[in-house]
Amino acid sequence: MTSPFEALPVHFTLPARDARGRFVRLDSVLREILAAHDYPTCIKLVLAEAITLAALIGSLMKQDGGQVTIQAQTEGGIVELLVVDYRGGELRGHVRFDAERLARLGANPSLFALFGKGYLAMTFDQSFGKGRYQGIVPLDGDSLSQACESYFTQSEQVPTMIRIAIESDATGCRSAGYLVQHLPEGEEGRERLHVRLDHPEWEHVSILSSTLTHSELLDPAVDGRDLLWRLFHEEDEVRAEDGVALVKGCRCNLDHIRDVIGRFPPEEQAEMVGDTGTIVVDCAFCSRAFHIDPPAATQG
């Protein structure tokens, strides 16, 4: 059941400032995703941030079946791989990490302590044959949010500000996220935005947005439209509309798994059979193991 805190996301634009943005809150959805894994607190928090980022960035795509995937990968880091994705309001994510090395760290390790030298990859799969593209940036800064800001600035030349707030208790985590962007000015030949980060319209929006506090983002008494009014009530126009509902969206199921296995030649399917006499398929996103009977698998 969706909590009052977890209202629909809010999409907004500031026409006079050439800006657009998103505001999301996650409670029951985030708790459901994290409950599938027995992660230490610091891993839960970094995954919660990544899932909130996926909700913000994924909602920038047209809701026509496209998918956004965010991956943080390292070279010898304690966190080996973090993956989250978003498709049509569906969220999922998981983390692979070295538990022994993590146990030797303190209670609140830095991003660098967890990832070391790593990179952030953003992959956009557009539907209806519109293509797939990816951008990669170093995993620098103090948070995944800062790395995502760098991605948009460096790879997309779109000045972006992201604010994430997370709180955790004995029952799990809840989060809130705010993203605002200065939109490209369009036609070929105009000055590139990456040399115009001091554009007066963007400077105005970013200064106002920087006043957002952690408590405001998480305050259940302040909904998305209230938050926008606090920030931009002096603007000539603020257009706001609801986004799609956010849900846990792990897409593993027996029919899909059987279909995938059925595409392999029979001899390769035979090699997949384990000691149990079945083909065991683990889903890292929901921590479930599926036991597929080989004859059923070959039926596709």
Side-chain angles (χ1 to χ4, degrees):
M1 180 180 296
T2 300
S3 73
F5 175 85
E6 197 169 46
L8 289 174
V10 177
H11 300 181
F12 67 93
T13 57
L14 304 172
R17 303 292 183 180
D18 300 319
R20 69 172 177 180
R22 301 289 187 266
F23 176 73
V24 302
R25 280 185 174 144
L26 298 171
D27 189 355
S28 58
V29 172
L30 186 58
R31 293 172 192 263
E32 185 180 1
I33 294 171
L34 295 178
H37 310 276
D38 186 21
Y39 289 149
T41 298
C42 63
I43 298 297
K44 286 183 180 180
L45 291 175
V46 76
L47 181 55
E49 180 184 11
I51 290 168
T52 309
L53 287 167
L56 288 169
I57 295 168
S59 66
L60 296 173
M61 297 186 72
K62 292 182 178 179
Q63 302 302 315
D64 56 6
Q67 177 172 304
V68 171
T69 302
I70 302 173
Q71 293 187 57
Q73 199 157 357
T74 66
E75 298 176 9
I78 290 174
V79 175
E80 300 160 2
L81 177 68
L82 178 149
V83 181
V84 297
D85 67 33
Y86 170 102
R87 187 176 70 182
E90 296 182 348
L91 294 162
R92 62 180 183 171
H94 75 91
V95 184
R96 190 174 70 230
F97 63 98
D98 187 325
E100 291 185 5
R101 292 172 61 194
L102 180 66
R104 295 196 289 267
L105 293 180
N108 297 299
S110 66
L111 192 72
F112 182 79
L114 289 174
F115 288 90
K117 182 181 179 182
Y119 66 86
L120 185 81
M122 305 269 289
T123 305
F124 296 83
D125 284 302
Q126 302 178 96
S127 59
F128 304 116
K130 295 178 182 178
R132 178 177 185 268
Y133 65 97
Q134 183 180 73
I136 299 175
V137 294
L139 195 56
D140 294 333
D142 296 327
S143 66
L144 294 175
S145 301
Q146 289 184 11
C148 287
E149 288 178 344
S150 296
Y151 163 79
F152 282 108
T153 300
Q154 296 175 21
S155 299
E156 302 275 353
Q157 287 79 53
V158 179
T160 301
M161 176 182 288
I162 299 172
R163 293 291 180 266
I164 303 288
I166 301 169
E167 61 182 12
S168 177
D169 57 29
T171 64
C173 296
R174 67 176 186 172
S175 68
Y178 171 88
L179 175 151
V180 66
Q181 295 182 319
H182 187 58
L183 297 176
E185 290 191 289
E187 292 79 26
E188 185 177 353
R190 291 193 179 186
E191 189 176 9
R192 298 289 284 177
L193 279 174
H194 71 278
V195 297
R196 300 187 61 195
L197 295 180
D198 61 347
H199 188 289
E201 304 296 357
W202 172 243
E203 185 176 18
H204 175 84
V205 171
S206 62
I207 288 173
L208 291 178
S209 297
S210 67
T211 65
L212 270 176
T213 66
H214 186 278
S215 59
E216 281 182 305
L217 287 167
L218 291 170
D219 186 350
V222 182
D223 67 22
R225 284 172 170 75
D226 291 337
L227 196 97
L228 292 178
W229 186 88
R230 288 186 179 187
L231 291 174
F232 304 118
H233 61 274
E234 294 184 355
E235 298 299 312
D236 292 336
E237 182 182 14
V238 179
R239 299 174 185 169
E241 62 181 10
D242 290 338
V244 300
L246 300 173
V247 296
K248 179 185 176 183
C250 194
R251 296 181 286 278
C252 60
N253 61 70
L254 285 173
D255 289 340
H256 173 71
I257 293 169
R258 286 171 177 155
D259 178 67
V260 172
I261 293 175
R263 298 172 193 171
F264 289 87
E267 58 273 17
E268 292 188 25
Q269 293 185 40
E271 293 175 0
M272 298 177 191
V273 178
D275 296 337
T276 62
T278 61
I279 298 173
V280 181
V281 179
D282 293 317
C283 175
F285 289 102
C286 63
S287 296
R288 295 174 62 193
F290 294 86
H291 292 262
I292 309 298
D293 185 67
T298 58
Q299 294 174 10

